[in-house]
Amino acid sequence: MTAAGLLAPGIQAPGAAAALTSGRRLRETVDRAVLAVADNRLPLSGDITMLNRSAAGAPRPALQIAVTDGRLEPAGTASIATDASAALALIAQDAVDLLLSAEIRRVHVCGADECALRFVDRSPARNRRWCSMSRCGNPAKIRLHQARARRSERAPAD
């Protein structure tokens, strides 16, 4: 959570095992809810309850603004969580925001065989296939190219 910028550096989570279990449970709940709504279905009532309870676990940090290239833009939040449960609450709050936004229709599952990451497709054509080009896209393209090259090498000559 520290690496994601949700938890203040140097904070040791008392009850780390419980926080890890809660984090995993929240991850699975968010995944089920996001995939359901992205597929035009309602999330399970238990998932909605868990998201609401988790999101209420900490007050939402105040949004800040900045001027970038002559425009007002969000500059992040005024504070980050000081414990693991507050960090999980921030994740739940983001999930609730996504579920209620129009962007939920742009959530896709990575097309790579060995990956199942979810991502919001913000490409202009809305046809993104992989979670990222460096992680899955380029390796998939390389494998396809190598497979085509092997097939053409084995093809009988005319």
Side-chain angles (χ1 to χ4, degrees), residues 121-136:
D121 180 3
R122 292 188 177 108
S123 66
R126 295 186 181 185
N127 62 352
R128 186 170 144 198
R129 293 177 53 195
W130 298 289
C131 60
S132 78
M133 284 302 292
S134 61
R135 178 184 167 107
C136 292

Side-chain angles (χ1 to χ4, degrees), residues 133-153:
M133 284 302 292
S134 61
R135 178 184 167 107
C136 292
N138 284 337
K141 288 182 174 188
I142 290 168
R143 281 192 301 277
L144 288 171
H145 173 74
Q146 290 170 340
R148 281 192 303 268
R150 283 191 297 271
R151 280 195 303 270
S152 68
E153 289 173 1

Side-chain angles (χ1 to χ4, degrees), residues 21-52 54 95-96 98-99 104-105 107 109 116-118:
T21 299
S22 295
R24 287 180 175 148
R25 189 176 309 121
L26 179 60
R27 177 189 64 201
E28 297 303 320
T29 300
V30 169
D31 190 49
R32 280 191 307 271
V34 165
L35 291 178
V37 175
D39 195 34
N40 290 318
R41 295 180 289 115
L42 290 175
L44 300 171
S45 62
D47 289 346
I48 292 172
T49 300
M50 183 181 178
L51 282 172
N52 286 335
S54 297
V96 169
L98 176 62
L99 289 166
I104 190 66
R105 305 285 180 244
V107 172
V109 179
L117 289 178
R118 280 63 165 144

